């Protein structure tokens, strides 16, 4: 069945020296468990993390990627470049990229396909903003993001995808969705995935919840039927907090 997967998203935090200090401390505190774990870090920290975690089960992820192989795309990083460093995962379509960097469902789809073709696991983020939730449109918004973001992906590839449900109103605000609210949306996401890929595939896809996950609320979130993991922002920046979440 689905293996729990807890990933940290450092966003734009930590220099190389800070990443190294984190990784060394985290490696000491980390206990080998059946829970999969990864840190999604800024590009400049990736090689450092891969090196320090090389003899552990701790994975490393990027937070974005370009969908073209190579070319005149100043400032961008390709899938091949991530592969070359030894990256295992890549976040795609985070709400901050949708909001500030013009990420669309179409670019999410192109990036997801490119990552799958190159054996990097995409963590595809979906989620509604406060206005959309208050207008009763949360499900409609998430369904559109899923259907358009995951268009033309084979069942064989779909099994490898991780979906992260991150309600925008719960990110960095200290406002967590209640476990019931999160479960309702993750169950809905699984229903949409069932409709797209069939039940056998949808049952295998790992769905994470993200938005103000902390050691204090990780257990009740992880206990929900359709929530298989967490995408952790702020609380993944401190080794002890992140270990406590993985230990949920
Ligand atoms: P916080 O855990 O800081 O709310 O961030 C969530 C998030 O955006 C993870 O991708």
């Amino acid at each position: 069945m689905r293996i729990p997967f807890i990933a940290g998203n450092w966003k734009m935090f930590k220099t190389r020296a800070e990443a190294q200090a984190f990784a060394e401390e985290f490696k000491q505190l980390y206990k080998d468990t059946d829970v999969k774990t990864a840190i999604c870090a800024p590009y400049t920290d990736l090689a450092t993390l891969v090196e320090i975690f090389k003899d552990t089960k701790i994975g490393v992820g990027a937070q974005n990627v370009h969908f073209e192989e190579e070319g005149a795309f100043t400032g961008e990083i390709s899938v091949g470049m991530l592969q070359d460093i030894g990256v295992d995962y890549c976040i795609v379509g985070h709400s901050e990229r949708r909001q500030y960097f013009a990420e669309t469902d179409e670019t999410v789809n192109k990036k997801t396909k490119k990552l799958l073709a190159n054996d990097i696991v995409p963590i595809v983020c979906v989620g509604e903003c406060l206005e959309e939730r208050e207008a009763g449109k949360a499900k409609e918004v998430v369904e559109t993001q899923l259907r358009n973001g995951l268009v033309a992906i084979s069942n064989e590839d779909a099994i490898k995808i991780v979906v992260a449900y991150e309600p925008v109103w719960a990110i960095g605000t200290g406002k967590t969705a209640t476990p019931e609210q999160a479960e309702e949306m993750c169950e809905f996401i699984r229903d949409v995935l069932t409709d797209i890929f069939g039940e056998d595939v949808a049952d295998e896809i790992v769905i994470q919840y993200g938005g103000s996950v902390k050691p204090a609320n990780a257990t009740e979130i992880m206990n929900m039927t359709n929530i298989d993991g967490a995408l952790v922002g702020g609380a993944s920046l401190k080794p002890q907090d992140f270990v406590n979440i993985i230990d949920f």
Side-chain angles (χ1 to χ4, degrees):
M1 271 308 282
R2 302 187 297 266
I3 300 170
F5 175 41
I6 296 183
N9 173 12
W10 280 358
K11 309 193 178 186
M12 199 172 72
F13 290 98
K14 294 198 191 291
T15 62
R16 253 185 337 148
E18 288 164 347
Q20 184 178 346
F22 174 99
E24 273 155 11
E25 191 181 338
F26 182 67
K27 209 165 100 164
Q28 297 301 317
L29 296 169
Y30 173 78
K31 293 180 221 92
D32 199 347
T33 69
D34 291 338
V35 177
K36 274 198 204 173
T37 189
I39 302 276
C40 300
Y43 293 129
T44 47
D45 294 335
L46 295 175
T48 305
L49 295 182
V50 168
E51 172 62 25
I52 298 175
F53 293 151
K54 70 175 179 233
D55 51 354
T56 73
K57 285 182 7 193
I58 306 160
V60 175
Q63 301 170 6
N64 185 37
V65 71
H66 196 272
F67 48 80
E68 292 292 349
E69 205 101 340
E70 60 183 5
F73 301 106
T74 301
E76 293 295 318
I77 295 287
S78 73
V79 173
M81 292 167 187
L82 296 182
Q83 239 186 350
D84 180 48
I85 289 183
V87 164
D88 314 289
Y89 301 92
C90 183
I91 297 173
V92 184
H94 191 279
S95 61
E96 286 148 19
R97 296 220 58 92
R98 293 178 191 262
Q99 192 178 350
Y100 307 125
F101 303 101
E103 185 88 88
T104 64
D105 292 338
E106 195 192 348
T107 55
V108 167
N109 184 245
K110 287 184 180 173
K111 292 175 182 187
T112 302
K113 286 200 260 193
K114 197 78 190 171
L115 288 163
L116 287 166
N118 290 278
D119 298 321
I120 296 179
V121 174
I123 303 175
V124 179
C125 299
V126 296
E128 80 287 358
C129 63
L130 185 60
E131 233 172 44
E132 291 160 340
R133 172 156 284 259
E134 285 175 344
K137 290 189 172 157
K139 288 185 178 167
E140 191 186 312
V141 167
V142 166
E143 179 166 1
T144 304
Q145 290 172 339
L146 285 168
R147 287 192 187 277
N148 295 342
L150 302 180
V151 78
I153 289 174
S154 69
N155 282 11
E156 197 189 318
D157 275 344
I159 285 179
K160 301 174 199 156
I161 294 172
V162 174
V163 174
Y165 169 61
E166 299 207 314
V168 180
W169 48 273
I171 294 178
T173 57
K175 262 190 222 161
T176 329
T178 64
E180 292 73 25
Q181 277 174 321
E183 168 63 15
E184 187 190 351
M185 289 302 289
C186 291
E187 185 183 10
F188 173 73
I189 287 169
R190 203 170 305 282
D191 288 345
V192 175
L193 294 173
T194 302
D195 200 50
I196 304 173
F197 300 111
E199 198 175 333
D200 289 352
V201 173
D203 274 351
E204 295 285 320
I205 296 179
V206 169
I207 303 178
Q208 297 176 321
Y209 166 79
S212 301
V213 175
K214 308 181 237 341
N217 59 22
T219 310
E220 51 176 3
I221 290 167
M222 290 299 294
N223 279 343
M224 294 286 140
T225 315
N226 285 287
I227 302 178
D228 314 309
L231 188 54
V232 184
S236 72
L237 294 168
K238 294 195 183 129
Q240 188 63 63
D241 283 354
F242 195 48
V243 162
N244 290 347
I245 292 173
I246 295 163
D247 265 355
F248 67 90

